[in-house]
Amino acid sequence: MDSFIIAALALCSLTAPACGDKGSSKARSCSNFRTFYKGKHFPLDGVPQSEISGEHLRICSQGYTCCTSVIEDNLASLSSRELEAVCKNTSRSLQVSLAGQRKAFDGYALELLNYSMSSLHETFISTWGSVYFESSQVFSDLYQDLTDYYKGSATNVNLEEVLNEFWTKLMEKLFYMANKQNSIGEDYLDCVSKQIETLRPFGDTPHKMTTQVTHTFVAARSFLQGLLISEDVVRKVSQVHLSKDCMRSIMKMTYCPHCHGMVFAQPCANYCSNVIKGCLANQADLNPEWTRLADSMIELAKSCLEDMDSVILSLPNRISEAMFTMMENIGSINNKVFLACGNLKKEGASRSGVVEILKNGRVTVEDRLGDSPNKMTKLLSNVTTRLKDMRSHWISLPRIFCSDREAQGAGAEDKCWNGISRARYLPEVIGDGLASQINNPEVDIDITKPDMLIRRQIMQLKIMTHHLKNALNGFDVDFQDTSDDVSGSGSGACVDEMCSRGPRLVIPISDRPTLYDYPPENEKVKGSSQQNLPCVIIHLLSLLILLLQR
């Protein structure tokens, strides 16, 4: 009887490798797998003609299989590259879209500035004549300062100071032209400029124009910076670095069924979601700040930028009107200046040039660019539509990846690949983000070790959103250049409500996450004991039956 028991146990041991398969101990043909494998552009050298025992497998279950160790490694690398490609291509598409919107907005804003300057030049030549030629540098400096501020190419440009300086210099020029018959020195003109607040020679125009221009240009510059930062964040995060456990989980989900003869099996929808949510958990953590940034930009566009074209194109009219106001009141202005700064010695003819200008009357400058008065509105509508579409970009990546891979159709939930067999997937879908992965049944993620590259991008998004909020409230924004930021833009340092011009934020740069190789041949795959549990039970039952028969 003892020899019978030993023989029975030996027989069961010989059949054990087949227990991990689908209840069949017969090796089947690998013809379907070979066709599939060749379709993935792998050579057929070393691919079995029929199933072999799978003790060598390190990711897939160790039943009968058409995969060798080399094939398993090839398919594991392929599955990882496919996920990386989806993320990269999707992000690339978003990056290109953001770049296109940025270039359209930026191009039109600069076009507005150029057209406004050209209109002023052409109209003022005929309207103001020598007065304009004598003052042309003042106007050129204004438009250059506005352009430099908008583009962020000049440091420490304060719009209010720029506009105040413009009106002061213009007052000096007009006073000098109106009193050319007198001897006027630099010291006297300096005294004249100090009277601008008291005299208010241009009426309410300087105050109104400063308020509008500052509000519009702060918003426009911040909006452009927001598009730049968004584009840069996408570029930096588009390259996904998968962890060792993630690479194994993707292989198990994607190609393990092929190794075991289920070439046409597709993963269950919830199963695929859990795997990819685990692999892209760090990317999902971008979404809250990404959404806040998009919402802030949409709000800024609606509140501050829809009148941007009219504000810029109306500059020549506003300036011309202010100049006429001063010339019409030059008599009383002179009297007040003489009282404050002293009388002038008359040395030439009267101011017939100014009188002639006033006789010509006011001239309205064209304040519309071509035949598209609503171009800015349409452009902003396109940008905001794209911003709305991108709000959920980082948490939509699992859905994008799984959409053409998961099982679909009637009864798919009961016939899909659940990681073990073709049956219903029972675990619930987990949440988005790193913290939620503590409950992920498919991917082992260390939630205490976030991706530092992505953490830096989250901080950039927070900073940019803070700037946008400041711009929305009419506060100027100080963008400081940093080596880690997008070229030509820069980032401020503060994220709290009390800070707008503090020291630059410096975030330590860490190495890229390490890419892990697959474990050595003798390392057991996590969960392999559970996969071989049916075989152990059969051994024990056989032994128990034989003992009872004794």
Side-chain angles (χ1 to χ4, degrees):
M1 182 62 72
D2 290 340
S3 60
F4 179 80
I5 294 175
I6 294 173
L9 291 175
L11 179 62
C12 188
S13 298
L14 291 173
T15 60
C19 297
D21 201 10
K22 302 182 296 293
S24 172
S25 60
K26 183 180 179 181
R28 294 162 298 181
S29 171
C30 290
S31 59
N32 286 339
F33 177 82
R34 289 171 63 86
T35 301
F36 151 77
Y37 195 66
K38 184 179 180 180
K40 294 297 182 180
H41 307 291
F42 290 113
L44 292 179
D45 298 343
V47 180
Q49 295 291 340
S50 58
E51 291 182 327
I52 60 176
S53 181
E55 295 93 336
H56 56 276
L57 298 180
R58 293 168 292 167
I59 301 175
C60 302
S61 60
Q62 297 180 338
Y64 275 123
T65 181
C66 291
C67 292
T68 63
S69 297
V70 173
I71 293 173
E72 188 181 41
D73 287 344
N74 288 342
L75 292 178
S77 297
L78 175 62
S79 62
S80 297
R81 291 197 304 270
E82 287 174 341
L83 175 57
E84 292 169 355
V86 168
C87 294
K88 189 172 184 178
N89 293 338
T90 304
S91 296
R92 176 61 180 167
S93 176
L94 177 58
Q95 185 184 346
V96 169
S97 177
L98 287 170
Q101 300 296 340
R102 171 179 57 81
K103 290 176 183 178
F105 176 81
D106 186 39
Y108 185 60
L110 295 176
E111 186 181 359
L112 288 172
L113 282 165
N114 290 333
Y115 185 84
S116 180
M117 179 61 192
S118 297
S119 296
L120 183 145
H121 177 72
E122 293 172 3
T123 307
F124 279 31
I125 286 177
S126 59
T127 305
W128 291 94
S130 61
V131 175
Y132 172 67
F133 285 114
E134 290 286 338
S135 312
S136 61
Q137 190 61 45
V138 176
F139 302 107
S140 297
D141 289 345
L142 172 64
Y143 277 93
Q144 187 62 55
D145 286 337
L146 291 176
T147 302
D148 288 344
Y149 175 85
Y150 165 73
K151 294 170 64 176
S153 55
T155 57
N156 301 322
V157 174
N158 184 293
L159 277 181
E160 189 172 348
E161 292 177 1
V162 165
L163 292 167
N164 287 340
E165 184 178 4
F166 165 75
W167 291 115
T168 299
K169 287 183 177 179
L170 185 59
M171 175 187 173
E172 291 177 4
K173 291 288 185 180
L174 293 181
F175 180 83
Y176 179 82
M177 294 298 295
N179 295 277
K180 287 184 68 174
Q181 74 277 14
N182 299 315
S183 175
I184 306 175
E186 291 294 329
D187 291 341
Y188 196 91
L189 285 178
D190 185 56
C191 178
V192 171
S193 66
K194 292 178 180 178
Q195 312 307 312
I196 190 168
E197 289 295 331
T198 303
L199 296 174
R200 299 181 70 247
F202 303 112
D204 293 333
T205 299
H207 174 72
K208 292 179 179 178
M209 193 174 110
T210 297
T211 300
Q212 272 198 329
V213 169
T214 300
H215 198 59
T216 298
F217 274 79
V218 168
R221 184 189 185 196
S222 299
F223 191 76
L224 180 66
Q225 291 290 323
L227 290 171
L228 277 166
I229 291 296
S230 301
E231 183 183 340
D232 193 54
V233 168
V234 175
R235 178 181 62 81
K236 289 178 178 177
V237 183
S238 62
Q239 186 66 45
V240 177
H241 302 284
L242 302 178
S243 69
K244 165 185 167 181
D245 197 74
C246 174
M247 295 169 75
R248 294 161 61 91
S249 298
I250 298 174
M251 166 59 187
K252 180 182 176 183
M253 176 188 75
T254 308
Y255 293 124
C256 278
H258 294 71
C259 286
H260 294 297
M262 293 175 278
V263 177
F264 301 106
Q266 292 178 300
C268 301
N270 290 352
Y271 175 38
C272 186
S273 293
N274 280 346
V275 171
I276 307 305
K277 283 190 176 189
C279 291
L280 302 181
N282 282 284
Q283 284 78 0
D285 279 343
L286 281 163
N287 211 70
E289 288 302 329
W290 181 261
T291 301
R292 278 189 276 271
L293 176 71
D295 290 343
S296 297
M297 293 181 66
I298 292 171
E299 188 177 4
L300 188 67
K302 290 182 178 179
S303 301
C304 307
L305 295 177
E306 289 188 345
D307 295 329
M308 181 177 172
D309 43 6
S310 63
V311 169
I312 294 176
L313 295 177
S314 67
L315 290 178
N317 273 334
R318 288 173 176 270
I319 294 171
S320 182
E321 185 68 24
M323 292 169 66
F324 270 107
T325 297
M326 178 172 173
M327 291 297 96
E328 287 175 341
N329 297 287
I330 193 64
S332 61
I333 290 173
N334 279 347
N335 292 334
K336 293 177 182 178
V337 169
F338 296 156
L339 285 174
C341 302
N343 292 324
L344 294 170
K345 293 181 180 180
K346 188 171 183 179
E347 295 183 354
S350 63
R351 58 181 190 279
S352 58
V354 173
V355 173
E356 196 65 33
I357 290 170
L358 294 176
K359 283 183 179 180
N360 292 335
R362 290 170 167 78
V363 176
T364 301
V365 183
E366 180 65 42
D367 61 354
R368 192 179 74 175
L369 182 56
D371 297 324
S372 304
N374 297 320
K375 185 174 180 178
M376 178 59 74
T377 301
K378 295 177 181 177
L379 190 151
L380 289 174
S381 177
N382 292 336
V383 177
T384 53
T385 297
R386 190 67 188 96
L387 290 172
K388 290 177 181 177
D389 292 340
M390 79 175 197
R391 290 176 78 256
S392 60
H393 171 75
W394 302 108
I395 59 174
S396 67
L397 292 175
R399 175 183 54 79
I400 294 173
F401 179 83
C402 294
S403 61
D404 59 350
R405 289 169 174 80
E406 63 191 23
Q408 298 175 350
E413 292 184 0
D414 296 319
K415 299 177 183 178
C416 55
W417 171 250
N418 63 12
I420 300 174
S421 63
R422 297 187 67 173
R424 180 179 291 270
Y425 181 75
L426 299 179
E428 296 291 331
V429 177
I430 60 166
D432 298 302
L434 191 61
S436 299
Q437 304 315 306
I438 194 171
N439 297 317
N440 195 321
E442 306 304 334
V443 188
D444 186 13
I445 301 293
D446 187 350
I447 66 173
T448 66
K449 295 180 180 179
D451 186 317
M452 293 310 299
L453 170 66
I454 290 179
R455 299 299 131 175
R456 289 199 298 273
Q457 302 317 305
I458 291 174
M459 181 58 69
Q460 292 298 323
L461 293 174
K462 286 183 178 180
I463 293 170
M464 190 63 239
T465 300
H466 177 71
H467 289 332
L468 291 169
K469 293 293 185 183
N470 276 346
L472 190 61
N473 293 324
F475 300 124
D476 201 353
V477 178
D478 181 18
F479 295 100
Q480 299 183 17
D481 291 332
T482 64
S483 59
D484 193 47
D485 292 335
V486 59
S487 175
S489 61
S491 169
C494 306
V495 293
D496 57 86
E497 292 299 324
M498 301 301 294
C499 180
S500 61
R501 291 180 179 270
R504 184 176 69 188
L505 175 69
V506 179
I507 305 174
I509 300 176
S510 63
D511 294 333
R512 288 184 175 181
T514 305
L515 285 175
Y516 295 92
D517 294 327
Y518 288 110
E521 286 285 343
N522 60 355
E523 182 177 333
K524 298 269 187 182
V525 178
K526 178 182 176 182
S528 61
S529 61
Q530 294 177 342
Q531 294 166 350
N532 292 331
L533 186 59
C535 292
V536 176
I537 294 174
I538 291 175
H539 279 288
L540 293 175
L541 288 175
S542 300
L543 178 60
L544 179 60
I545 291 171
L546 292 173
L547 290 174
L548 289 174
Q549 289 177 344
R550 296 180 65 182

